[in-house]
Amino acid sequence: MASTSGSTKAPTAVAFDSFFNIIGGERESGSSTFQAANPSTLAENPPAPLSSKDDVDRAIAAAKAALPVWAATPVAERQQAVIRLADALAAQTDDFATMLVKEQGKPLPIAKAEVANAVAVLKGVANLSFPAEQVIEDTPKRRISSRYVPIGVSVGIIPWNFPVILAATKIGPALVAGSPLILKPSPFTPYCNLKIAELAMQFLPPGVLQALSGDDNLGAWFTEHPGVAKVAFTGSTSTGKKVMQSCSKNLTRVTLELGGNDAAIICPDVDIQTVALHIAIKALLNSGQICIAVKRVYVHASIYDAFLATITAIAKSFPVADGFTEGAFIGPVQNAAQYKIVQDLMDDVAKNQFRVTTDGERPPLPEKGFFFNPMIVDNPPDDARIVQEEPFGPVFPVMKWTDEADVVRRANDSDVGLGASVWSNDIAAAERIGRQLEAGTVWINGHSELYPDAPFAGHKHSGIGAELGVQGIQSYCNVQTIAAYKQITPPEM
Ligand code: NAD
Protein backbone atom coordinates (compact mmCIF):
# COMPACT_ATOMS: atom_id res chain seq x y z
CA MET A 1 0.00 0.00 0.00
CA ALA A 2 1.42 3.36 -0.98
CA SER A 3 1.93 5.93 1.69
CA THR A 4 3.34 9.41 1.80
CA SER A 5 4.90 8.91 5.23
CA GLY A 6 8.68 9.09 5.28
CA SER A 7 9.76 5.60 4.13
CA THR A 8 13.36 5.70 3.00
CA LYS A 9 13.07 2.47 0.99
CA ALA A 10 14.69 2.79 -2.43
CA PRO A 11 12.02 3.12 -5.14
CA THR A 12 11.26 0.07 -7.27
CA ALA A 13 11.94 0.62 -10.95
CA VAL A 14 9.09 0.20 -13.44
CA ALA A 15 9.54 -2.17 -16.39
CA PHE A 16 9.08 -0.88 -19.93
CA ASP A 17 7.98 -4.16 -21.55
CA SER A 18 4.23 -3.81 -20.97
CA PHE A 19 2.03 -0.76 -20.45
CA PHE A 20 -0.98 -0.27 -18.19
CA ASN A 21 -3.62 2.24 -17.30
CA ILE A 22 -3.22 3.27 -13.68
CA ILE A 23 -6.68 3.44 -12.09
CA GLY A 24 -7.38 3.51 -8.36
CA GLY A 25 -3.92 2.25 -7.43
CA GLU A 26 -4.10 -0.74 -9.82
CA ARG A 27 -2.37 -1.54 -13.10
CA GLU A 28 -4.97 -2.39 -15.74
CA SER A 29 -4.28 -3.83 -19.19
CA GLY A 30 -7.56 -2.56 -20.63
CA SER A 31 -10.10 -4.62 -22.56
CA SER A 32 -8.45 -3.64 -25.84
CA THR A 33 -5.18 -2.04 -26.92
CA PHE A 34 -3.60 0.09 -29.64
CA GLN A 35 -0.04 0.65 -30.81
CA ALA A 36 1.56 3.98 -31.61
CA ALA A 37 4.38 4.13 -34.16
CA ASN A 38 8.04 5.03 -33.78
CA PRO A 39 8.30 8.16 -35.99
CA SER A 40 11.88 7.32 -37.05
CA THR A 41 11.26 3.76 -38.24
CA LEU A 42 7.45 3.57 -38.46
CA ALA A 43 7.75 0.29 -36.48
CA GLU A 44 4.95 -0.30 -33.99
CA ASN A 45 5.64 0.49 -30.36
CA PRO A 46 4.18 -1.88 -27.71
CA PRO A 47 0.44 -2.22 -27.06
CA ALA A 48 -1.11 0.40 -24.76
CA PRO A 49 -4.63 0.31 -23.27
CA LEU A 50 -7.42 1.69 -25.43
CA SER A 51 -9.52 3.15 -22.62
CA SER A 52 -13.29 2.96 -22.61
CA LYS A 53 -15.86 5.37 -21.23
CA ASP A 54 -16.25 3.01 -18.28
CA ASP A 55 -12.50 3.35 -17.55
CA VAL A 56 -12.97 7.13 -17.52
CA ASP A 57 -15.88 6.87 -15.07
CA ARG A 58 -13.92 4.56 -12.78
CA ALA A 59 -10.82 6.78 -12.80
CA ILE A 60 -12.89 9.84 -11.96
CA ALA A 61 -14.63 7.92 -9.14
CA ALA A 62 -11.23 6.81 -7.79
CA ALA A 63 -9.93 10.39 -7.92
CA LYS A 64 -13.05 11.59 -6.11
CA ALA A 65 -12.48 8.99 -3.40
CA ALA A 66 -8.84 10.06 -3.08
CA LEU A 67 -9.66 13.76 -2.80
CA PRO A 68 -10.50 13.95 0.94
CA VAL A 69 -7.45 11.84 1.83
CA TRP A 70 -5.06 13.88 -0.28
CA ALA A 71 -6.59 17.24 0.62
CA ALA A 72 -6.16 16.37 4.33
CA THR A 73 -2.51 15.39 3.82
CA PRO A 74 -0.33 18.26 5.07
CA VAL A 75 1.23 20.38 2.29
CA ALA A 76 4.75 19.45 3.43
CA GLU A 77 3.93 15.74 3.00
CA ARG A 78 2.44 16.35 -0.42
CA GLN A 79 5.58 18.26 -1.42
CA GLN A 80 7.72 15.40 -0.12
CA ALA A 81 5.78 12.85 -2.19
CA VAL A 82 6.40 14.91 -5.35
CA ILE A 83 10.12 15.08 -4.53
CA ARG A 84 10.25 11.31 -4.03
CA LEU A 85 8.56 10.82 -7.40
CA ALA A 86 11.12 13.19 -8.96
CA ASP A 87 13.99 11.19 -7.42
CA ALA A 88 12.52 7.92 -8.70
CA LEU A 89 12.14 9.41 -12.18
CA ALA A 90 15.74 10.64 -12.08
CA ALA A 91 16.91 7.16 -11.08
CA GLN A 92 15.26 5.74 -14.23
CA THR A 93 16.35 8.49 -16.61
CA ASP A 94 17.86 6.07 -19.12
CA ASP A 95 14.73 3.89 -19.33
CA PHE A 96 12.39 6.85 -19.72
CA ALA A 97 14.69 8.56 -22.24
CA THR A 98 14.98 5.40 -24.35
CA MET A 99 11.19 5.02 -24.47
CA LEU A 100 10.88 8.73 -25.24
CA VAL A 101 13.13 8.35 -28.30
CA LYS A 102 11.01 5.41 -29.50
CA GLU A 103 7.69 7.16 -29.04
CA GLN A 104 8.56 10.81 -29.77
CA GLY A 105 11.58 10.55 -32.09
CA LYS A 106 13.87 13.10 -30.41
CA PRO A 107 17.60 12.36 -30.13
CA LEU A 108 18.64 10.48 -26.99
CA PRO A 109 20.61 13.33 -25.33
CA ILE A 110 17.60 15.62 -25.81
CA ALA A 111 15.32 12.92 -24.39
CA LYS A 112 17.60 12.64 -21.35
CA ALA A 113 17.52 16.42 -20.97
CA GLU A 114 13.71 16.33 -21.09
CA VAL A 115 13.62 13.80 -18.24
CA ALA A 116 16.14 15.89 -16.27
CA ASN A 117 14.06 19.02 -16.85
CA ALA A 118 10.92 17.18 -15.72
CA VAL A 119 12.72 16.19 -12.52
CA ALA A 120 13.78 19.82 -12.03
CA VAL A 121 10.21 21.04 -12.58
CA LEU A 122 8.78 18.54 -10.07
CA LYS A 123 11.37 19.49 -7.47
CA GLY A 124 11.21 23.19 -8.21
CA VAL A 125 7.44 23.25 -7.77
CA ALA A 126 7.57 21.05 -4.66
CA ASN A 127 10.13 23.38 -3.09
CA LEU A 128 8.03 26.51 -3.61
CA SER A 129 6.62 28.07 -0.52
CA PHE A 130 2.89 27.56 -0.95
CA PRO A 131 0.99 29.44 1.72
CA ALA A 132 -2.43 27.79 1.63
CA GLU A 133 -3.80 30.74 3.63
CA GLN A 134 -3.05 34.47 3.48
CA VAL A 135 -4.20 37.00 6.06
CA ILE A 136 -5.62 40.13 4.42
CA GLU A 137 -6.74 42.02 7.52
CA ASP A 138 -6.33 41.30 11.21
CA THR A 139 -7.78 44.07 13.39
CA PRO A 140 -9.49 44.06 16.80
CA LYS A 141 -12.78 43.98 14.89
CA ARG A 142 -12.19 41.15 12.39
CA ARG A 143 -9.80 38.79 10.65
CA ILE A 144 -10.11 38.36 6.91
CA SER A 145 -8.10 35.67 5.21
CA SER A 146 -8.13 33.83 1.93
CA ARG A 147 -7.45 30.13 1.69
CA TYR A 148 -6.55 27.96 -1.26
CA VAL A 149 -8.49 24.71 -1.02
CA PRO A 150 -7.94 21.87 -3.50
CA ILE A 151 -10.21 22.26 -6.52
CA GLY A 152 -10.81 18.54 -6.81
CA VAL A 153 -10.53 16.00 -9.61
CA SER A 154 -8.21 17.39 -12.27
CA VAL A 155 -7.26 16.09 -15.69
CA GLY A 156 -3.99 16.86 -17.48
CA ILE A 157 -4.24 16.56 -21.28
CA ILE A 158 -0.76 16.24 -22.78
CA PRO A 159 0.51 16.72 -26.37
CA TRP A 160 3.09 14.57 -28.15
CA ASN A 161 6.04 16.98 -28.40
CA PHE A 162 7.28 16.93 -24.76
CA PRO A 163 5.21 14.28 -23.01
CA VAL A 164 7.44 13.93 -19.95
CA ILE A 165 8.07 17.55 -19.06
CA LEU A 166 4.52 18.62 -19.89
CA ALA A 167 3.19 15.91 -17.57
CA ALA A 168 5.52 17.23 -14.85
CA THR A 169 4.21 20.79 -15.24
CA LYS A 170 0.79 19.42 -14.26
CA ILE A 171 1.72 16.71 -11.74
CA GLY A 172 3.81 18.98 -9.48
CA PRO A 173 1.29 21.83 -9.09
CA ALA A 174 -1.83 19.60 -8.87
CA LEU A 175 -0.37 17.29 -6.25
CA VAL A 176 1.11 20.08 -4.11
CA ALA A 177 -2.28 21.86 -4.26
CA GLY A 178 -3.98 18.70 -2.94
CA SER A 179 -5.96 17.91 -6.10
CA PRO A 180 -5.87 14.37 -7.58
CA LEU A 181 -4.73 14.33 -11.21
CA ILE A 182 -5.54 12.04 -14.14
CA LEU A 183 -3.02 12.15 -17.00
CA LYS A 184 -4.43 11.87 -20.51
CA PRO A 185 -1.47 11.44 -22.89
CA SER A 186 -1.56 11.95 -26.64
CA PRO A 187 -2.43 8.75 -28.55
CA PHE A 188 0.90 9.28 -30.36
CA THR A 189 2.98 9.24 -27.14
CA PRO A 190 1.20 7.31 -24.37
CA TYR A 191 4.10 5.26 -23.01
CA CYS A 192 6.19 7.48 -20.71
CA ASN A 193 3.07 9.10 -19.23
CA LEU A 194 1.63 5.70 -18.24
CA LYS A 195 4.96 4.77 -16.65
CA ILE A 196 5.20 8.00 -14.63
CA ALA A 197 1.83 7.23 -13.03
CA GLU A 198 2.90 3.62 -12.44
CA LEU A 199 6.14 4.80 -10.82
CA ALA A 200 4.19 7.21 -8.61
CA MET A 201 2.00 4.41 -7.17
CA GLN A 202 4.78 3.79 -4.63
CA PHE A 203 4.57 7.26 -3.17
CA LEU A 204 0.90 8.22 -3.40
CA PRO A 205 -2.41 6.88 -2.10
CA PRO A 206 -4.58 5.16 -4.77
CA GLY A 207 -6.37 7.55 -7.10
CA VAL A 208 -4.09 10.56 -6.47
CA LEU A 209 -2.17 10.23 -9.74
CA GLN A 210 -3.72 8.10 -12.48
CA ALA A 211 -3.13 7.77 -16.23
CA LEU A 212 -5.31 6.48 -19.05
CA SER A 213 -4.27 6.05 -22.67
CA GLY A 214 -6.64 5.84 -25.59
CA ASP A 215 -7.75 7.29 -28.88
CA ASP A 216 -9.13 10.68 -29.95
CA ASN A 217 -12.37 10.14 -27.97
CA LEU A 218 -10.67 9.99 -24.61
CA GLY A 219 -9.94 13.70 -24.14
CA ALA A 220 -13.51 14.69 -24.94
CA TRP A 221 -14.90 12.09 -22.50
CA PHE A 222 -12.93 13.81 -19.76
CA THR A 223 -13.71 17.41 -20.70
CA GLU A 224 -17.46 16.79 -20.86
CA HIS A 225 -17.58 14.76 -17.62
CA PRO A 226 -19.45 16.45 -14.73
CA GLY A 227 -17.12 14.75 -12.22
CA VAL A 228 -14.09 16.73 -13.41
CA ALA A 229 -13.41 20.02 -11.62
CA LYS A 230 -10.48 21.22 -13.71
CA VAL A 231 -8.84 20.48 -17.05
CA ALA A 232 -5.24 21.52 -17.64
CA PHE A 233 -4.78 21.28 -21.39
CA THR A 234 -1.61 21.66 -23.43
CA GLY A 235 -1.93 21.41 -27.19
CA SER A 236 -2.99 23.27 -30.28
CA THR A 237 -5.10 26.42 -30.21
CA SER A 238 -7.84 24.75 -32.28
CA THR A 239 -8.18 21.82 -29.84
CA GLY A 240 -7.92 24.23 -26.91
CA LYS A 241 -11.04 26.04 -28.15
CA LYS A 242 -12.91 22.70 -28.32
CA VAL A 243 -11.77 21.89 -24.78
CA MET A 244 -13.01 25.21 -23.47
CA GLN A 245 -16.33 24.79 -25.24
CA SER A 246 -16.81 21.32 -23.80
CA CYS A 247 -15.74 22.42 -20.29
CA SER A 248 -18.18 25.33 -20.37
CA LYS A 249 -21.13 22.91 -20.01
CA ASN A 250 -20.21 22.10 -16.41
CA LEU A 251 -18.20 25.28 -15.76
CA THR A 252 -15.19 23.00 -15.44
CA ARG A 253 -12.17 25.21 -14.81
CA VAL A 254 -9.52 25.29 -17.52
CA THR A 255 -5.91 26.16 -17.93
CA LEU A 256 -5.01 26.30 -21.61
CA GLU A 257 -1.40 26.24 -22.83
CA LEU A 258 -1.70 26.53 -26.60
CA GLY A 259 0.25 27.26 -29.76
CA GLY A 260 2.70 30.06 -30.36
CA ASN A 261 4.61 31.85 -33.10
CA ASP A 262 7.54 33.26 -31.12
CA ALA A 263 9.50 36.17 -32.56
CA ALA A 264 13.20 36.70 -31.81
CA ILE A 265 14.48 40.24 -32.41
CA ILE A 266 18.22 40.46 -33.06
CA CYS A 267 19.80 43.88 -32.44
CA PRO A 268 22.76 45.21 -34.45
CA ASP A 269 25.31 45.02 -31.60
CA VAL A 270 25.38 41.24 -31.05
CA ASP A 271 28.18 38.79 -31.72
CA ILE A 272 26.78 37.15 -34.86
CA GLN A 273 28.33 33.70 -34.47
CA THR A 274 27.18 33.30 -30.85
CA VAL A 275 23.64 34.54 -31.35
CA ALA A 276 23.14 32.69 -34.66
CA LEU A 277 24.07 29.44 -32.86
CA HIS A 278 21.60 30.19 -30.05
CA ILE A 279 18.83 30.95 -32.52
CA ALA A 280 19.50 27.90 -34.71
CA ILE A 281 19.27 25.68 -31.63
CA LYS A 282 16.14 27.37 -30.27
CA ALA A 283 14.45 27.14 -33.68
CA LEU A 284 15.42 23.57 -34.61
CA LEU A 285 15.64 21.72 -31.28
CA ASN A 286 13.12 18.86 -31.16
CA SER A 287 12.76 19.42 -34.95
CA GLY A 288 11.08 22.76 -34.23
CA GLN A 289 8.26 21.01 -32.32
CA ILE A 290 8.39 23.25 -29.25
CA CYS A 291 5.55 25.58 -28.37
CA ILE A 292 8.18 28.15 -27.33
CA ALA A 293 10.62 27.53 -30.20
CA VAL A 294 11.88 30.56 -32.10
CA LYS A 295 9.55 30.65 -35.10
CA ARG A 296 10.20 34.11 -36.62
CA VAL A 297 13.65 35.75 -36.61
CA TYR A 298 13.91 39.53 -37.10
CA VAL A 299 17.53 40.60 -37.73
CA HIS A 300 18.70 44.21 -37.92
CA ALA A 301 19.44 45.11 -41.56
CA SER A 302 23.02 46.17 -40.76
CA ILE A 303 24.00 42.58 -39.86
CA TYR A 304 21.34 40.72 -41.86
CA ASP A 305 23.51 39.20 -44.62
CA ALA A 306 26.24 38.02 -42.27
CA PHE A 307 23.71 36.65 -39.78
CA LEU A 308 21.77 34.78 -42.48
CA ALA A 309 24.93 33.22 -43.92
CA THR A 310 26.08 32.16 -40.44
CA ILE A 311 22.79 30.65 -39.29
CA THR A 312 22.42 28.85 -42.62
CA ALA A 313 25.82 27.21 -42.25
CA ILE A 314 24.98 26.20 -38.67
CA ALA A 315 21.57 24.74 -39.60
CA LYS A 316 23.11 22.77 -42.47
CA SER A 317 25.68 21.30 -40.09
CA PHE A 318 23.03 19.80 -37.76
CA PRO A 319 22.84 16.03 -38.43
CA VAL A 320 19.35 14.75 -39.27
CA ALA A 321 18.95 11.15 -38.08
CA ASP A 322 17.16 8.58 -35.95
CA GLY A 323 17.29 9.62 -32.30
CA PHE A 324 19.56 6.69 -31.40
CA THR A 325 22.23 7.75 -33.93
CA GLU A 326 25.30 9.23 -32.26
CA GLY A 327 25.43 12.99 -32.88
CA ALA A 328 21.86 13.30 -34.23
CA PHE A 329 20.40 16.76 -33.60
CA ILE A 330 17.28 16.84 -35.76
CA GLY A 331 15.02 13.80 -35.46
CA PRO A 332 11.80 13.19 -37.35
CA VAL A 333 8.62 15.18 -36.86
CA GLN A 334 6.36 13.11 -34.70
CA ASN A 335 3.56 11.86 -36.93
CA ALA A 336 2.10 11.73 -40.42
CA ALA A 337 -0.38 14.58 -39.84
CA GLN A 338 2.39 16.89 -38.60
CA TYR A 339 4.60 15.83 -41.54
CA LYS A 340 1.83 16.93 -43.89
CA ILE A 341 1.47 20.34 -42.15
CA VAL A 342 5.21 21.00 -42.43
CA GLN A 343 5.40 19.73 -46.03
CA ASP A 344 2.46 21.95 -46.97
CA LEU A 345 4.21 25.05 -45.57
CA MET A 346 7.46 24.13 -47.35
CA ASP A 347 5.50 23.66 -50.59
CA ASP A 348 3.95 27.10 -50.09
CA VAL A 349 7.45 28.60 -49.79
CA ALA A 350 8.41 26.94 -53.09
CA LYS A 351 5.16 27.97 -54.78
CA ASN A 352 5.78 31.61 -53.85
CA GLN A 353 9.42 31.36 -54.93
CA PHE A 354 10.74 32.67 -51.63
CA ARG A 355 14.50 32.21 -51.45
CA VAL A 356 15.61 29.23 -49.38
CA THR A 357 19.17 29.44 -48.06
CA THR A 358 19.56 25.85 -46.89
CA ASP A 359 19.34 24.10 -50.28
CA GLY A 360 22.30 22.18 -51.64
CA GLU A 361 24.09 18.90 -51.03
CA ARG A 362 23.00 17.02 -47.90
CA PRO A 363 23.51 13.44 -46.79
CA PRO A 364 20.46 11.34 -47.73
CA LEU A 365 17.63 11.33 -45.19
CA PRO A 366 16.83 8.07 -43.39
CA GLU A 367 14.65 5.93 -45.65
CA LYS A 368 11.71 5.53 -43.32
CA GLY A 369 10.27 8.02 -40.87
CA PHE A 370 9.05 11.60 -40.97
CA PHE A 371 12.37 13.38 -41.63
CA PHE A 372 13.04 16.83 -43.08
CA ASN A 373 16.26 18.68 -43.63
CA PRO A 374 16.07 22.10 -41.94
CA MET A 375 14.85 24.96 -44.10
CA ILE A 376 15.53 28.71 -43.66
CA VAL A 377 13.52 31.19 -45.70
CA ASP A 378 15.19 34.49 -46.67
CA ASN A 379 13.14 37.60 -45.87
CA PRO A 380 9.64 36.48 -46.94
CA PRO A 381 6.89 39.14 -46.79
CA ASP A 382 5.07 39.61 -43.48
CA ASP A 383 1.86 38.10 -44.84
CA ALA A 384 3.53 34.87 -46.05
CA ARG A 385 2.10 31.73 -44.50
CA ILE A 386 5.56 30.75 -43.22
CA VAL A 387 5.54 33.98 -41.16
CA GLN A 388 1.90 33.88 -40.08
CA GLU A 389 1.47 30.19 -39.21
CA GLU A 390 3.11 27.98 -36.60
CA PRO A 391 5.03 25.32 -38.59
CA PHE A 392 5.95 23.05 -35.65
CA GLY A 393 8.73 21.65 -37.83
CA PRO A 394 12.35 22.42 -38.82
CA VAL A 395 11.61 25.46 -40.96
CA PHE A 396 11.66 29.17 -40.10
CA PRO A 397 11.87 32.60 -41.74
CA VAL A 398 14.57 35.23 -41.16
CA MET A 399 13.52 38.83 -41.84
CA LYS A 400 15.10 42.30 -41.87
CA TRP A 401 14.27 45.19 -39.58
CA THR A 402 15.49 48.77 -39.30
CA ASP A 403 13.04 50.69 -37.10
CA GLU A 404 12.39 49.67 -33.47
CA ALA A 405 8.71 50.62 -33.36
CA ASP A 406 8.12 48.82 -36.63
CA VAL A 407 9.76 45.56 -35.57
CA VAL A 408 7.74 45.60 -32.34
CA ARG A 409 4.58 46.06 -34.40
CA ARG A 410 5.54 43.17 -36.72
CA ALA A 411 6.42 40.87 -33.82
CA ASN A 412 3.05 41.63 -32.20
CA ASP A 413 1.13 41.22 -35.45
CA SER A 414 -0.14 37.75 -34.55
CA ASP A 415 -3.18 36.11 -32.96
CA VAL A 416 -0.90 34.24 -30.59
CA GLY A 417 1.50 35.46 -27.91
CA LEU A 418 3.34 32.68 -26.11
CA GLY A 419 7.02 33.66 -26.03
CA ALA A 420 9.36 36.23 -27.58
CA SER A 421 12.97 37.29 -27.21
CA VAL A 422 15.30 40.23 -27.76
CA TRP A 423 19.04 39.77 -28.22
CA SER A 424 21.43 42.64 -27.50
CA ASN A 425 24.43 43.56 -25.37
CA ASP A 426 22.56 46.72 -24.42
CA ILE A 427 20.31 45.18 -21.78
CA ALA A 428 18.35 48.38 -21.17
CA ALA A 429 17.53 48.72 -24.87
CA ALA A 430 16.62 45.04 -25.10
CA GLU A 431 14.30 45.32 -22.08
CA ARG A 432 12.72 48.44 -23.53
CA ILE A 433 11.86 46.45 -26.66
CA GLY A 434 10.94 43.31 -24.73
CA ARG A 435 8.43 45.06 -22.48
CA GLN A 436 6.47 46.11 -25.57
CA LEU A 437 6.03 42.53 -26.80
CA GLU A 438 2.67 40.79 -26.40
CA ALA A 439 3.78 37.42 -25.07
CA GLY A 440 3.48 35.43 -21.86
CA THR A 441 7.25 35.02 -21.52
CA VAL A 442 9.82 37.48 -22.84
CA TRP A 443 13.47 36.47 -22.69
CA ILE A 444 16.38 38.88 -23.05
CA ASN A 445 19.35 37.01 -24.57
CA GLY A 446 17.63 33.64 -24.17
CA HIS A 447 14.59 31.72 -25.39
CA SER A 448 12.59 28.51 -24.80
CA GLU A 449 13.38 28.07 -21.10
CA LEU A 450 10.82 27.32 -18.38
CA TYR A 451 11.26 28.18 -14.71
CA PRO A 452 9.39 26.12 -12.08
CA ASP A 453 9.04 29.19 -9.85
CA ALA A 454 7.75 31.59 -12.53
CA PRO A 455 4.27 31.48 -14.10
CA PHE A 456 4.18 30.23 -17.69
CA ALA A 457 1.24 31.65 -19.62
CA GLY A 458 0.06 32.59 -23.08
CA HIS A 459 -1.38 35.91 -24.21
CA LYS A 460 -4.10 36.13 -26.87
CA HIS A 461 -4.84 32.75 -28.51
CA SER A 462 -1.83 31.14 -26.81
CA GLY A 463 -3.77 30.33 -23.69
CA ILE A 464 -5.71 31.08 -20.57
CA GLY A 465 -4.33 30.94 -17.04
CA ALA A 466 -0.81 29.96 -16.05
CA GLU A 467 1.15 26.86 -15.20
CA LEU A 468 4.11 26.77 -12.77
CA GLY A 469 5.00 29.25 -10.06
CA VAL A 470 2.76 29.69 -7.03
CA GLN A 471 0.06 30.82 -9.46
CA GLY A 472 0.28 27.42 -11.15
CA ILE A 473 -0.35 25.66 -7.83
CA GLN A 474 -3.21 28.02 -7.01
CA SER A 475 -4.80 27.12 -10.35
CA TYR A 476 -5.57 23.67 -8.90
CA CYS A 477 -7.40 25.32 -5.98
CA ASN A 478 -10.59 27.16 -5.21
CA VAL A 479 -10.04 30.36 -3.32
CA GLN A 480 -12.13 30.86 -0.19
CA THR A 481 -12.34 34.07 1.80
CA ILE A 482 -13.00 33.73 5.51
CA ALA A 483 -14.22 36.88 7.20
CA ALA A 484 -14.34 36.32 10.97
CA TYR A 485 -15.81 39.09 13.21
CA LYS A 486 -14.29 38.77 16.66
CA GLN A 487 -17.35 39.89 18.56
CA ILE A 488 -21.03 39.77 17.77
CA THR A 489 -22.17 43.37 17.93
CA PRO A 490 -25.55 44.89 17.16
CA PRO A 491 -26.00 45.61 13.44
CA GLU A 492 -25.14 49.11 12.27
CA MET A 493 -28.38 50.60 10.94
P1 NAD B 1 -3.45 18.60 -30.14
O1 NAD B 1 -4.26 19.78 -29.79
O2 NAD B 1 -3.71 17.87 -31.39
O3 NAD B 1 -3.55 17.49 -28.98
C1 NAD B 1 -3.23 17.78 -27.65
C2 NAD B 1 -3.94 16.77 -26.75
O4 NAD B 1 -5.34 16.98 -26.84
C3 NAD B 1 -3.71 15.31 -27.09
O5 NAD B 1 -3.60 14.56 -25.89
C4 NAD B 1 -4.99 14.94 -27.83
O6 NAD B 1 -5.27 13.56 -27.77
C5 NAD B 1 -6.01 15.74 -27.05
N1 NAD B 1 -7.27 16.01 -27.77
C6 NAD B 1 -7.51 15.99 -29.10
N2 NAD B 1 -8.79 16.35 -29.34
C7 NAD B 1 -9.37 16.58 -28.14
C8 NAD B 1 -10.67 17.00 -27.72
N3 NAD B 1 -11.64 17.24 -28.60
N4 NAD B 1 -10.90 17.17 -26.41
C9 NAD B 1 -9.92 16.97 -25.49
N5 NAD B 1 -8.67 16.56 -25.83
C10 NAD B 1 -8.39 16.37 -27.13
O7 NAD B 1 -1.94 19.13 -30.06
P2 NAD B 1 -0.63 18.36 -30.51
O8 NAD B 1 -0.64 18.31 -32.00
O9 NAD B 1 -0.51 17.10 -29.70
O10 NAD B 1 0.50 19.38 -30.01
C11 NAD B 1 1.00 20.41 -30.81
C12 NAD B 1 0.42 21.74 -30.43
O11 NAD B 1 0.52 21.93 -29.03
C13 NAD B 1 1.16 22.92 -31.04
O12 NAD B 1 0.25 23.89 -31.49
C14 NAD B 1 1.97 23.50 -29.89
O13 NAD B 1 2.32 24.85 -30.04
C15 NAD B 1 1.06 23.23 -28.76
N6 NAD B 1 1.82 23.17 -27.50
C16 NAD B 1 1.65 24.18 -26.59
C17 NAD B 1 2.39 24.17 -25.42
C18 NAD B 1 2.22 25.25 -24.39
O14 NAD B 1 2.63 25.05 -23.26
N7 NAD B 1 1.64 26.38 -24.69
C19 NAD B 1 3.30 23.15 -25.19
C20 NAD B 1 3.44 22.16 -26.14
C21 NAD B 1 2.69 22.18 -27.30
Side-chain angles (χ1 to χ4, degrees):
M1 158 74 186
S3 129
T4 56
S5 60
S7 159
T8 50
K9 218 173 73 185
T12 306
V14 287
F16 279 75
D17 49 1
S18 42
F19 293 83
F20 310 97
N21 279 343
I22 305 301
I23 301 180
E26 301 291 335
R27 304 190 313 175
E28 296 191 6
S29 301
S31 48
S32 56
T33 59
F34 70 102
Q35 288 170 270
N38 177 327
S40 288
T41 62
L42 307 191
E44 283 187 326
N45 278 323
L50 181 70
S51 300
S52 66
K53 223 171 175 177
D54 176 60
D55 295 328
V56 168
D57 289 339
R58 290 187 304 107
I60 291 170
K64 232 177 196 164
L67 174 62
V69 180
W70 194 237
T73 303
V75 175
E77 255 183 66
R78 302 199 295 246
Q79 289 169 317
Q80 206 45 46
V82 172
I83 289 170
R84 293 177 67 204
L85 170 59
D87 285 335
L89 180 58
Q92 270 202 277
T93 297
D94 287 353
D95 295 331
F96 273 94
T98 301
M99 188 68 241
L100 192 51
V101 175
K102 289 182 192 163
E103 65 176 324
Q104 206 286 328
K106 65 190 64 189
L108 187 59
I110 300 171
K112 286 185 181 176
E114 178 174 346
V115 177
N117 286 334
V119 169
V121 161
L122 289 172
K123 289 193 172 181
V125 169
N127 285 322
L128 284 173
S129 150
F130 171 54
E133 184 153 352
Q134 286 162 351
V135 177
I136 291 159
E137 178 187 322
D138 195 0
T139 56
K141 185 179 172 191
R142 64 191 184 187
R143 184 176 187 276
I144 300 178
S145 61
S146 56
R147 309 167 62 210
Y148 286 91
V149 294
I151 201 164
V153 178
S154 300
V155 175
I157 301 182
I158 320 284
W160 44 254
N161 61 335
F162 278 90
V164 176
I165 194 160
L166 293 172
T169 62
K170 296 169 174 55
I171 294 169
L175 267 46
V176 169
S179 290
L181 180 73
I182 304 168
L183 292 177
K184 204 299 286 172
S186 164
F188 295 110
T189 52
Y191 302 101
C192 285
N193 281 179
L194 293 175
K195 286 295 160 190
I196 291 175
E198 187 178 333
L199 189 63
M201 283 164 67
Q202 305 170 61
F203 315 113
L204 299 168
V208 171
L209 181 64
Q210 307 180 86
L212 274 71
S213 60
D215 62 16
D216 282 344
N217 293 313
L218 187 56
W221 287 338
F222 278 115
T223 58
E224 70 196 17
H225 201 292
V228 173
K230 150 134 195 179
V231 170
F233 171 84
T234 302
S236 62
T237 297
S238 59
T239 310
K241 288 178 183 173
K242 286 187 203 157
V243 166
M244 190 162 176
Q245 196 170 22
S246 175
C247 285
S248 71
K249 289 177 201 133
N250 295 303
L251 290 182
T252 303
R253 293 350 184 221
V254 289
T255 301
L256 303 177
E257 296 289 357
L258 309 177
N261 197 6
D262 291 15
I265 297 175
I266 319 297
C267 296
D269 66 342
V270 300
D271 177 72
I272 291 175
Q273 183 66 37
T274 307
V275 174
L277 182 58
H278 273 293
I279 298 293
I281 292 171
K282 308 291 185 193
L284 296 172
L285 192 76
N286 212 42
S287 305
Q289 302 164 117
I290 307 184
C291 54
I292 41 176
V294 170
K295 292 176 184 143
R296 296 175 288 155
V297 187
Y298 295 93
V299 180
H300 193 270
S302 62
I303 58 165
Y304 182 86
D305 290 343
F307 189 94
L308 185 62
T310 307
I311 198 168
T312 298
I314 294 168
K316 286 175 82 167
S317 75
F318 286 159
V320 180
D322 180 302
F324 289 116
T325 304
E326 183 80 30
F329 183 75
I330 300 181
V333 297
Q334 205 280 331
N335 56 67
Q338 191 58 38
Y339 187 87
K340 198 164 166 295
I341 290 171
V342 176
Q343 185 66 64
D344 184 46
L345 275 174
M346 288 181 169
D347 290 348
D348 187 73
V349 166
K351 193 180 88 193
N352 285 288
Q353 298 178 339
F354 301 142
R355 181 171 167 260
V356 169
T357 62
T358 36
D359 285 345
E361 275 299 290
R362 294 290 314 241
L365 290 173
E367 266 178 34
K368 290 190 176 168
F370 304 119
F371 291 95
F372 288 106
N373 282 318
M375 178 191 270
I376 297 178
V377 186
D378 175 12
N379 208 27
D382 287 350
D383 62 355
R385 283 183 58 204
I386 193 62
V387 181
Q388 291 294 322
E389 297 179 24
E390 178 190 40
F392 229 55
V395 47
F396 62 95
V398 181
M399 292 155 292
K400 274 182 207 174
W401 70 275
T402 47
D403 176 71
E404 183 178 312
D406 191 51
V407 76
V408 167
R409 180 194 59 74
R410 292 163 73 196
N412 288 338
D413 182 21
S414 172
D415 281 350
V416 287
L418 194 56
S421 61
V422 186
W423 298 75
S424 173
N425 290 312
D426 181 344
I427 305 299
E431 273 215 45
R432 181 184 66 233
I433 297 172
R435 285 171 185 274
Q436 299 172 66
L437 297 176
E438 296 164 356
T441 304
V442 174
W443 294 269
I444 306 299
N445 300 328
H447 208 115
S448 309
E449 281 169 29
L450 290 182
Y451 313 98
D453 43 1
F456 175 64
H459 293 191
K460 302 192 266 190
H461 288 201
S462 286
I464 289 187
E467 286 194 319
L468 300 178
V470 172
Q471 211 178 330
I473 301 175
Q474 288 170 344
S475 77
Y476 288 90
C477 296
N478 277 317
V479 66
Q480 180 180 61
T481 295
I482 307 238
Y485 289 84
K486 295 179 179 172
Q487 280 175 341
I488 303 178
T489 54
E492 287 168 23
M493 302 293 283

